[in-house]
Amino acid sequence: MIAIPLAVEVDHLVRRFGDFVAVDDVSFTVNQGEVFGFLGPNGSGKSTTIRILCGLLAPSGGHAVVAGLDVWRQAEGIRAQMGYMPQFFSLYGDLTGAENIEFYAAMYSVPPAEIRRRLDFLAERLELGSVLNRLTRTLSTGWRQRLALATAIAHQPPLVFLDEPTSGVDPVTRRLFWDVIADLAHDGATVFVTTHVMDEAEHCTHLAMMHYGKLIAQGPPEQMRRDLVSSLVQVQSERIWDALQALQGAPQIHEVALFGEALHAEVAAEVADPEERVRQVLASAHVPVASVQRVAPTMEDVFVSLARRYERPTTAGRDA
Amino acid sequence: MSDAALDVRGLRKEFGPLVACADLSLELAAGQILGLVGPDGAGKTTVFRMLCGILEPTAGSALVAGHEVRRDPEGVKRVIGYLPQQFSLHRDLTIDENIRYIADLYCVPPGQWEARRDELLDITYLTPFRRRLAGRLSGGMRQKLALVCSLIHRPQVLFLDEPTTGVDPVSRRDFWKILYDLPRQGVTIIISTPYMDEAVRCNQLAFMFEGRLLAYDTPVGLRGRMTGKVLAVRCLALREARLVLQRQPHVRSVEVFGDRLHVALQPGVGVTEVRAALHEAGVDCQHLEEIEPSLEDVFMALTASATDGLRE
């Protein structure tokens, strides 16, 4: 591979569709070797940004540079530097697993001898085993996703785009995926990944969150957690449903979410003793509690908190 | 007994030589939320189909809200609601029309479902959109409409197949808020999912693997069954540390996070052994600490010991 200082640079990027602003003045950079998690609710502008970065869609304003190349004027050059795993089935159903990998590698001009070597490597690394010889249309989602990842990285691209790679994938396969992603990054590739699974966002070295076309937060996962201004309090109670009802809509309590037998309440930053505040609310509603304690927010807590804070004032209904 | 939403005894399904479900037994009280958790091929779909009365078991029995799945599959279908992963709504009908259509299919007499419709539209915040065509709704709204349709005949047990796969965290939370309202109305919920962030919201979990029930308990109870510690390891030479640890016999698995590793250990070892192994390999590590295992850690540990059991 040609050694190019690989980074993504997005500068005041805008994309309009008629009156609708899908990407609204977005700027960020991605360092080489980073696992960059691109998060956001459906319709927040993630896919539009990715399509621009892949050179598939022209920006309406601003610009983006990938691998030192302008994404729109030098789009052809970028594609050779890039591997892309789309969200939906991208394999040829009437080819076997091995044939799909060979086909993609050949399309990217990998020399025949090298293709053999890459196929062996990927078969071992992604534990492809017998599926190499099976028609991909007969495979389950988990195996298809493994093969799709193999085809995306067959030509050892310095930049890899993975669009919800683990959607519909079981825990065992998911762990393998993140192991492979870590390897790619260690070898110097830049991995750009989208996911709705917040446990997985933790695997990234850097996160960026989109909402209504704007970039509303970015940083390493640890920093995103620290920057969450409000406090998270976990409540356990035999009458957890009553606890939820009591806390929902109570002053200075922003967001309440149930997790089976416990709930997480987000308490406003200005409250000096958030645990005490939660206890007060529950006591005045006569809800007995087993425990009330401050906890570190999960990435889901962080994500939902940010999204709610930037909710459009006009969306009164919950048109999710 | 008659209060149980599910009473499953020795339920078994064979497809030729393949045992898709091996002697499953469990009981579930009404008003609970049960998560059927496991990877592809664990047998979740087979169990779902049998419990919904659409696949005949090879052996065993299952009572769903008092109806036996083999003797009375039609009775089962009347008392359950089902929300498939790919729900099919009529895109050229409005929200109201879709609901009426489903109510007719379930033979709910006119006058007996309208109040339920209004109530369901209310809790799903869909009331302002009743005259909108289903084809013009957002993904999250379509999913909520499908839920309303699956509840219109007042089922006692609601089956959901991976309800929030591919759904963003905000919509997922809103969807779960609606689900949590149902047990109070006496509805029992059964969810199949490969995702732990879905599983953690259920109050009973059945972990399945290769057709077998590995464990059936509350989330708290399952965490208590974790054998072996989980450590967080932070260091600059993250990759070297990972390679070293993956080779250690007392390490069950190593997972890479942005700036750290999560290392699941075999029972009986801890920080000392891991520190020694890293030191011996010349990897300098700043921080090692024991952390709370996640439900996924528990699942992986149970799966690993089940697999070892099979090999022995």
Side-chain angles (χ1 to χ4, degrees):
Chain A
M1 270 293 92
I2 316 152
I4 296 173
L6 226 295
V8 177
E9 246 185 287
V10 175
D11 190 26
H12 297 290
L13 194 68
V14 175
R15 172 66 209 204
R16 292 187 202 91
F17 294 104
D19 290 341
F20 178 67
V21 187
V23 177
D24 190 357
D25 196 17
V26 166
S27 302
F28 63 84
T29 57
V30 183
N31 295 327
Q32 185 182 343
E34 204 145 56
V35 181
F36 188 85
F38 201 44
L39 315 175
N42 296 327
S44 59
K46 293 191 308 280
S47 300
T48 306
T49 305
I50 290 177
R51 284 162 67 200
I52 294 172
L53 293 181
C54 293
L56 300 170
L57 192 68
S60 317
H63 50 268
V65 175
V66 168
L69 302 169
D70 182 281
V71 288
W72 189 237
R73 288 195 303 267
Q74 296 164 295
E76 292 308 314
I78 287 171
R79 269 170 227 157
Q81 304 290 320
M82 205 182 77
Y84 177 50
M85 178 177 165
Q87 210 172 323
F88 300 104
F89 189 56
S90 58
L91 302 166
Y92 292 92
D94 50 357
L95 296 185
T96 65
E99 286 165 349
N100 266 285
I101 296 172
E102 286 162 355
F103 177 76
Y104 275 93
M107 283 217 309
Y108 279 103
S109 316
V110 178
E114 178 70 5
I115 290 180
R116 191 70 241 163
R117 205 186 59 78
R118 287 296 292 160
L119 182 61
D120 290 345
F121 170 79
L122 291 165
E124 197 196 323
R125 190 68 187 90
L126 286 161
E127 299 165 23
L128 297 173
S130 62
V131 306
L132 283 177
N133 302 317
R134 285 176 54 192
L135 296 184
T136 60
R137 65 161 184 262
T138 65
L139 301 175
S140 70
T141 313
W143 288 111
R144 286 176 177 186
Q145 294 292 89
R146 285 192 198 200
L147 279 169
L149 179 60
T151 60
I153 61 176
H155 60 295
Q156 292 181 281
L159 177 64
V160 185
F161 281 96
L162 307 173
D163 199 1
E164 293 191 34
T166 59
S167 189
V169 166
D170 66 64
V172 182
T173 307
R174 206 156 61 216
R175 288 206 168 183
L176 176 64
F177 267 41
W178 284 102
D179 215 42
V180 171
I181 290 171
D183 268 349
L184 292 171
H186 282 308
D187 290 338
T190 306
V191 184
F192 201 100
V193 57
T194 70
T195 178
H196 281 322
V197 184
M198 288 300 109
D199 302 354
E200 291 189 6
E202 306 261 3
H203 291 273
C204 300
T205 54
H206 200 93
L207 297 173
M209 186 174 156
M210 296 281 292
H211 201 48
Y212 291 117
K214 286 186 187 300
L215 186 74
I216 58 170
Q218 61 170 320
E222 279 304 312
Q223 186 197 322
M224 301 265 285
R225 237 196 294 271
R226 274 199 308 274
D227 288 353
L228 183 74
V229 286
S230 24
S231 327
L232 250 292
V233 173
Q234 179 177 290
V235 177
Q236 288 179 307
S237 164
E238 297 243 303
R239 286 166 50 199
I240 199 71
W241 180 261
D242 296 321
L244 176 79
Q245 296 297 66
L247 288 165
Q248 251 168 2
Q252 296 171 313
I253 310 278
H254 291 324
E255 164 81 14
V256 191
L258 257 181
F259 293 91
E261 293 151 332
L263 66 75
H264 280 191
E266 194 192 335
V267 184
E270 69 265 20
V271 177
D273 188 344
E275 284 149 292
E276 186 49 34
R277 176 80 194 107
V278 167
R279 272 200 202 89
Q280 279 167 5
V281 173
L282 294 173
S284 58
H286 307 290
V287 179
V289 290
S291 78
V292 174
Q293 64 179 133
R294 220 167 144 174
V295 290
T298 62
M299 273 327 287
E300 183 185 301
D301 291 321
V302 174
F303 183 103
V304 173
S305 169
L306 284 164
R308 298 260 196 248
R309 201 181 319 155
Y310 289 90
E311 228 157 58
R312 278 184 180 166
T314 47
T315 28
R318 297 231 188 155
D319 182 347
Chain B
M1 219 278 329
S2 58
D3 288 347
L6 282 186
D7 187 356
V8 180
R9 296 190 185 187
L11 197 65
R12 184 177 182 87
K13 183 67 196 181
E14 295 167 8
F15 294 106
L18 177 79
V19 181
C21 173
D23 308 319
L24 176 75
S25 296
L26 58 84
E27 230 177 295
L28 182 73
Q32 298 284 309
I33 304 179
L34 167 66
L36 216 55
V37 184
D40 278 359
K44 304 190 299 286
T45 308
T46 302
V47 172
F48 248 51
R49 288 189 182 154
M50 288 192 285
L51 295 181
C52 290
I54 52 177
L55 180 70
E56 196 177 343
T58 309
S61 70
L63 284 170
V64 178
H67 298 267
E68 214 287 317
V69 293
R70 293 162 93 178
R71 277 199 311 274
D72 185 17
E74 293 315 307
V76 170
K77 283 170 204 154
R78 273 194 303 276
V79 294
I80 64 165
Y82 180 58
L83 185 65
Q85 209 180 122
Q86 304 289 337
F87 41 82
S88 49
L89 295 163
H90 292 271
R91 304 172 69 89
D92 50 352
L93 297 184
T94 64
I95 286 186
D96 263 1
E97 288 162 349
N98 266 290
I99 298 171
R100 174 181 303 179
Y101 177 74
I102 296 291
D104 283 349
L105 276 185
Y106 274 105
C107 305
V108 187
Q112 287 188 19
W113 54 269
E114 288 82 352
R116 181 65 173 157
R117 171 198 60 198
D118 293 348
E119 193 181 291
L120 290 167
L121 288 177
D122 211 35
I123 61 169
T124 50
Y125 299 95
L126 287 174
T127 307
F129 310 101
R130 320 172 41 149
R131 279 172 197 83
R132 192 179 281 190
L133 294 180
R136 297 195 51 238
L137 301 172
S138 71
M141 289 166 86
R142 272 209 297 275
Q143 187 198 32
K144 289 193 281 190
L145 173 56
L147 179 66
V148 171
C149 289
S150 70
L151 289 167
I152 194 67
H153 61 296
R154 294 182 186 275
Q156 296 174 49
V157 182
L158 177 65
F159 288 86
L160 303 126
D161 192 6
E162 293 189 30
T164 64
T165 295
V167 172
D168 71 70
V170 178
S171 304
R172 179 183 297 146
R173 272 206 182 173
D174 287 342
F175 189 77
W176 269 94
K177 272 190 185 150
I178 299 166
L179 290 187
Y180 276 126
D181 210 29
L182 299 171
R184 291 191 313 156
Q185 303 166 20
V187 180
T188 305
I189 299 178
I190 300 170
I191 285 173
S192 100
T193 182
Y195 293 111
M196 293 301 153
D197 59 350
E198 196 103 87
V200 76
R201 292 163 214 258
C202 302
N203 47 28
Q204 293 289 330
L205 292 174
F207 278 178
M208 291 197 66
F209 185 66
E210 294 181 352
R212 288 178 305 140
L213 183 68
L214 288 183
Y216 177 48
D217 208 334
T218 61
V220 173
L222 284 171
R223 276 182 220 272
R225 294 191 195 192
M226 177 73 182
T227 56
K229 293 172 175 164
V230 179
L231 306 185
V233 175
R234 279 167 218 270
C235 60
L236 291 174
L238 212 55
R239 171 184 240 181
E240 287 69 25
R242 171 161 66 110
L243 294 176
V244 170
L245 292 174
Q246 274 170 341
R247 285 196 303 266
Q248 300 299 316
H250 56 258
V251 170
R252 201 179 254 155
S253 72
V254 182
E255 236 193 319
V256 193
F257 288 84
D259 58 344
R260 64 190 189 279
L261 305 173
H262 283 187
V263 186
L265 301 174
Q266 301 286 2
V269 288
V271 172
T272 321
E273 287 80 0
V274 171
R275 195 186 296 282
L278 289 170
H279 184 76
E280 195 177 314
V283 180
D284 184 31
C285 251
Q286 287 83 8
H287 289 289
L288 282 172
E289 57 168 336
E290 193 180 333
I291 54 169
E292 189 90 356
S294 66
L295 264 186
E296 187 169 300
D297 291 323
V298 179
F299 182 80
M300 300 294 277
L302 287 168
T303 310
S305 42
T307 315
D308 292 347
L310 285 181
R311 287 203 191 109
E312 273 157 20

